[in-house]
PDB file of all heavy atoms in Angstrom:
ATOM      1  N   PRO A 123      10.342 -19.369   4.482  1.00  0.00           N
ATOM      2  CA  PRO A 123       9.778 -18.245   5.195  1.00  0.00           C
ATOM      3  C   PRO A 123      10.790 -17.141   5.548  1.00  0.00           C
ATOM      4  O   PRO A 123      10.454 -16.176   6.278  1.00  0.00           O
ATOM      5  CB  PRO A 123       9.239 -18.878   6.493  1.00  0.00           C
ATOM      6  CG  PRO A 123      10.240 -19.936   6.781  1.00  0.00           C
ATOM      7  CD  PRO A 123      10.664 -20.483   5.416  1.00  0.00           C
ATOM      8  N   ALA A 124      11.983 -17.210   5.038  1.00  0.00           N
ATOM      9  CA  ALA A 124      12.995 -16.237   5.388  1.00  0.00           C
ATOM     10  C   ALA A 124      12.591 -14.810   4.884  1.00  0.00           C
ATOM     11  O   ALA A 124      12.989 -13.804   5.519  1.00  0.00           O
ATOM     12  CB  ALA A 124      14.348 -16.578   4.749  1.00  0.00           C
ATOM     13  N   VAL A 125      11.830 -14.733   3.805  1.00  0.00           N
ATOM     14  CA  VAL A 125      11.263 -13.453   3.382  1.00  0.00           C
ATOM     15  C   VAL A 125       9.791 -13.410   3.701  1.00  0.00           C
ATOM     16  O   VAL A 125       9.076 -14.369   3.524  1.00  0.00           O
ATOM     17  CB  VAL A 125      11.459 -13.254   1.832  1.00  0.00           C
ATOM     18  CG1 VAL A 125      10.709 -11.978   1.333  1.00  0.00           C
ATOM     19  CG2 VAL A 125      12.928 -13.217   1.471  1.00  0.00           C
ATOM     20  N   ASN A 126       9.362 -12.296   4.278  1.00  0.00           N
ATOM     21  CA  ASN A 126       8.007 -12.188   4.801  1.00  0.00           C
ATOM     22  C   ASN A 126       7.039 -11.652   3.744  1.00  0.00           C
ATOM     23  O   ASN A 126       6.698 -10.515   3.711  1.00  0.00           O
ATOM     24  CB  ASN A 126       7.987 -11.270   6.045  1.00  0.00           C
ATOM     25  CG  ASN A 126       6.652 -11.265   6.757  1.00  0.00           C
ATOM     26  OD1 ASN A 126       5.741 -11.984   6.426  1.00  0.00           O
ATOM     27  ND2 ASN A 126       6.576 -10.385   7.765  1.00  0.00           N
ATOM     28  N   PHE A 127       6.607 -12.530   2.848  1.00  0.00           N
ATOM     29  CA  PHE A 127       5.715 -12.132   1.768  1.00  0.00           C
ATOM     30  C   PHE A 127       4.328 -11.888   2.347  1.00  0.00           C
ATOM     31  O   PHE A 127       3.770 -12.628   3.126  1.00  0.00           O
ATOM     32  CB  PHE A 127       5.596 -13.252   0.723  1.00  0.00           C
ATOM     33  CG  PHE A 127       6.828 -13.478  -0.038  1.00  0.00           C
ATOM     34  CD1 PHE A 127       7.663 -14.587   0.296  1.00  0.00           C
ATOM     35  CD2 PHE A 127       7.219 -12.737  -1.106  1.00  0.00           C
ATOM     36  CE1 PHE A 127       8.825 -14.861  -0.358  1.00  0.00           C
ATOM     37  CE2 PHE A 127       8.392 -12.994  -1.823  1.00  0.00           C
ATOM     38  CZ  PHE A 127       9.200 -14.058  -1.416  1.00  0.00           C
ATOM     39  N   ARG A 128       3.709 -10.763   1.975  1.00  0.00           N
ATOM     40  CA  ARG A 128       2.374 -10.395   2.463  1.00  0.00           C
ATOM     41  C   ARG A 128       1.351 -10.428   1.362  1.00  0.00           C
ATOM     42  O   ARG A 128       0.310 -11.057   1.503  1.00  0.00           O
ATOM     43  CB  ARG A 128       2.415  -9.008   3.111  1.00  0.00           C
ATOM     44  CG  ARG A 128       1.103  -8.599   3.802  1.00  0.00           C
ATOM     45  CD  ARG A 128       1.362  -7.410   4.703  1.00  0.00           C
ATOM     46  NE  ARG A 128       0.139  -6.900   5.282  1.00  0.00           N
ATOM     47  CZ  ARG A 128      -0.467  -7.413   6.375  1.00  0.00           C
ATOM     48  NH1 ARG A 128       0.075  -8.478   6.987  1.00  0.00           N
ATOM     49  NH2 ARG A 128      -1.589  -6.901   6.844  1.00  0.00           N
ATOM     50  N   TYR A 129       1.628  -9.818   0.228  1.00  0.00           N
ATOM     51  CA  TYR A 129       0.752  -9.747  -0.917  1.00  0.00           C
ATOM     52  C   TYR A 129       1.535  -9.971  -2.216  1.00  0.00           C
ATOM     53  O   TYR A 129       2.675  -9.561  -2.307  1.00  0.00           O
ATOM     54  CB  TYR A 129       0.006  -8.415  -1.044  1.00  0.00           C
ATOM     55  CG  TYR A 129      -0.640  -7.927   0.238  1.00  0.00           C
ATOM     56  CD1 TYR A 129      -0.219  -6.772   0.835  1.00  0.00           C
ATOM     57  CD2 TYR A 129      -1.712  -8.605   0.801  1.00  0.00           C
ATOM     58  CE1 TYR A 129      -0.823  -6.290   2.027  1.00  0.00           C
ATOM     59  CE2 TYR A 129      -2.323  -8.158   1.974  1.00  0.00           C
ATOM     60  CZ  TYR A 129      -1.852  -6.982   2.569  1.00  0.00           C
ATOM     61  OH  TYR A 129      -2.436  -6.539   3.682  1.00  0.00           O
ATOM     62  N   ILE A 130       0.855 -10.570  -3.161  1.00  0.00           N
ATOM     63  CA  ILE A 130       1.344 -10.604  -4.571  1.00  0.00           C
ATOM     64  C   ILE A 130       0.470  -9.633  -5.359  1.00  0.00           C
ATOM     65  O   ILE A 130      -0.758  -9.881  -5.474  1.00  0.00           O
ATOM     66  CB  ILE A 130       1.297 -12.024  -5.172  1.00  0.00           C
ATOM     67  CG1 ILE A 130       1.944 -13.052  -4.172  1.00  0.00           C
ATOM     68  CG2 ILE A 130       1.983 -12.055  -6.498  1.00  0.00           C
ATOM     69  CD1 ILE A 130       3.406 -12.766  -3.879  1.00  0.00           C
ATOM     70  N   ALA A 131       1.053  -8.644  -5.938  1.00  0.00           N
ATOM     71  CA  ALA A 131       0.298  -7.690  -6.845  1.00  0.00           C
ATOM     72  C   ALA A 131       0.456  -8.165  -8.230  1.00  0.00           C
ATOM     73  O   ALA A 131       1.517  -7.891  -8.891  1.00  0.00           O
ATOM     74  CB  ALA A 131       0.861  -6.280  -6.636  1.00  0.00           C
ATOM     75  N   VAL A 132      -0.596  -8.791  -8.738  1.00  0.00           N
ATOM     76  CA  VAL A 132      -0.556  -9.333 -10.109  1.00  0.00           C
ATOM     77  C   VAL A 132      -0.966  -8.236 -11.095  1.00  0.00           C
ATOM     78  O   VAL A 132      -2.152  -7.997 -11.324  1.00  0.00           O
ATOM     79  CB  VAL A 132      -1.474 -10.560 -10.229  1.00  0.00           C
ATOM     80  CG1 VAL A 132      -1.411 -11.131 -11.612  1.00  0.00           C
ATOM     81  CG2 VAL A 132      -1.100 -11.626  -9.202  1.00  0.00           C
ATOM     82  N   GLY A 133      -0.004  -7.540 -11.607  1.00  0.00           N
ATOM     83  CA  GLY A 133      -0.272  -6.417 -12.516  1.00  0.00           C
ATOM     84  C   GLY A 133      -0.411  -5.106 -11.724  1.00  0.00           C
ATOM     85  O   GLY A 133      -0.803  -5.114 -10.583  1.00  0.00           O
ATOM     86  N   ASN A 134      -0.019  -4.004 -12.392  1.00  0.00           N
ATOM     87  CA  ASN A 134      -0.104  -2.699 -11.771  1.00  0.00           C
ATOM     88  C   ASN A 134      -0.802  -1.751 -12.679  1.00  0.00           C
ATOM     89  O   ASN A 134      -0.352  -1.461 -13.801  1.00  0.00           O
ATOM     90  CB  ASN A 134       1.335  -2.159 -11.426  1.00  0.00           C
ATOM     91  CG  ASN A 134       1.266  -0.849 -10.738  1.00  0.00           C
ATOM     92  OD1 ASN A 134       0.613  -0.659  -9.716  1.00  0.00           O
ATOM     93  ND2 ASN A 134       1.975   0.174 -11.254  1.00  0.00           N
ATOM     94  N   GLU A 135      -1.949  -1.203 -12.219  1.00  0.00           N
ATOM     95  CA  GLU A 135      -2.700  -0.185 -12.976  1.00  0.00           C
ATOM     96  C   GLU A 135      -3.025  -0.644 -14.376  1.00  0.00           C
ATOM     97  O   GLU A 135      -2.919   0.127 -15.339  1.00  0.00           O
ATOM     98  CB  GLU A 135      -1.964   1.141 -12.962  1.00  0.00           C
ATOM     99  CG  GLU A 135      -1.795   1.758 -11.581  1.00  0.00           C
ATOM    100  CD  GLU A 135      -1.210   3.143 -11.574  1.00  0.00           C
ATOM    101  OE1 GLU A 135      -0.762   3.616 -12.625  1.00  0.00           O
ATOM    102  OE2 GLU A 135      -1.320   3.809 -10.531  1.00  0.00           O
ATOM    103  N   VAL A 136      -3.424  -1.927 -14.546  1.00  0.00           N
ATOM    104  CA  VAL A 136      -3.894  -2.386 -15.841  1.00  0.00           C
ATOM    105  C   VAL A 136      -5.306  -1.839 -16.085  1.00  0.00           C
ATOM    106  O   VAL A 136      -6.192  -2.006 -15.291  1.00  0.00           O
ATOM    107  CB  VAL A 136      -3.906  -3.913 -15.869  1.00  0.00           C
ATOM    108  CG1 VAL A 136      -4.447  -4.459 -17.183  1.00  0.00           C
ATOM    109  CG2 VAL A 136      -2.513  -4.520 -15.589  1.00  0.00           C
ATOM    110  N   GLU A 137      -5.419  -1.174 -17.217  1.00  0.00           N
ATOM    111  CA  GLU A 137      -6.733  -0.562 -17.564  1.00  0.00           C
ATOM    112  C   GLU A 137      -7.595  -1.578 -18.330  1.00  0.00           C
ATOM    113  O   GLU A 137      -7.061  -2.491 -19.004  1.00  0.00           O
ATOM    114  CB  GLU A 137      -6.481   0.612 -18.479  1.00  0.00           C
ATOM    115  CG  GLU A 137      -5.695   1.757 -17.801  1.00  0.00           C
ATOM    116  CD  GLU A 137      -6.568   2.445 -16.717  1.00  0.00           C
ATOM    117  OE1 GLU A 137      -7.787   2.518 -16.872  1.00  0.00           O
ATOM    118  OE2 GLU A 137      -5.959   2.920 -15.745  1.00  0.00           O
ATOM    119  N   PRO A 138      -8.928  -1.433 -18.270  1.00  0.00           N
ATOM    120  CA  PRO A 138      -9.796  -2.376 -18.942  1.00  0.00           C
ATOM    121  C   PRO A 138      -9.512  -2.404 -20.471  1.00  0.00           C
ATOM    122  O   PRO A 138      -9.726  -3.465 -21.165  1.00  0.00           O
ATOM    123  CB  PRO A 138     -11.197  -1.833 -18.650  1.00  0.00           C
ATOM    124  CG  PRO A 138     -11.055  -1.114 -17.391  1.00  0.00           C
ATOM    125  CD  PRO A 138      -9.689  -0.507 -17.423  1.00  0.00           C
ATOM    126  N   SER A 139      -9.086  -1.295 -21.044  1.00  0.00           N
ATOM    127  CA  SER A 139      -8.826  -1.201 -22.463  1.00  0.00           C
ATOM    128  C   SER A 139      -7.469  -1.822 -22.841  1.00  0.00           C
ATOM    129  O   SER A 139      -7.169  -2.002 -24.046  1.00  0.00           O
ATOM    130  CB  SER A 139      -8.870   0.246 -22.938  1.00  0.00           C
ATOM    131  OG  SER A 139      -7.917   1.047 -22.234  1.00  0.00           O
ATOM    132  N   ASP A 140      -6.653  -2.113 -21.853  1.00  0.00           N
ATOM    133  CA  ASP A 140      -5.327  -2.672 -22.120  1.00  0.00           C
ATOM    134  C   ASP A 140      -5.483  -4.152 -22.518  1.00  0.00           C
ATOM    135  O   ASP A 140      -6.175  -4.901 -21.834  1.00  0.00           O
ATOM    136  CB  ASP A 140      -4.476  -2.562 -20.801  1.00  0.00           C
ATOM    137  CG  ASP A 140      -3.056  -2.922 -21.010  1.00  0.00           C
ATOM    138  OD1 ASP A 140      -2.732  -3.785 -21.844  1.00  0.00           O
ATOM    139  OD2 ASP A 140      -2.161  -2.324 -20.393  1.00  0.00           O
ATOM    140  N   PRO A 141      -4.801  -4.581 -23.556  1.00  0.00           N
ATOM    141  CA  PRO A 141      -4.910  -6.008 -23.967  1.00  0.00           C
ATOM    142  C   PRO A 141      -4.495  -6.973 -22.786  1.00  0.00           C
ATOM    143  O   PRO A 141      -4.998  -8.078 -22.731  1.00  0.00           O
ATOM    144  CB  PRO A 141      -3.898  -6.125 -25.104  1.00  0.00           C
ATOM    145  CG  PRO A 141      -3.887  -4.764 -25.694  1.00  0.00           C
ATOM    146  CD  PRO A 141      -4.043  -3.809 -24.529  1.00  0.00           C
TER     147      PRO A 141
END
Side-chain angles (χ1 to χ4, degrees):
V125 174
N126 188 6
F127 295 99
R128 186 164 175 83
Y129 310 115
I130 309 300
V132 182
N134 183 52
E135 297 187 349
V136 178
E137 297 290 328
S139 59
D140 189 325

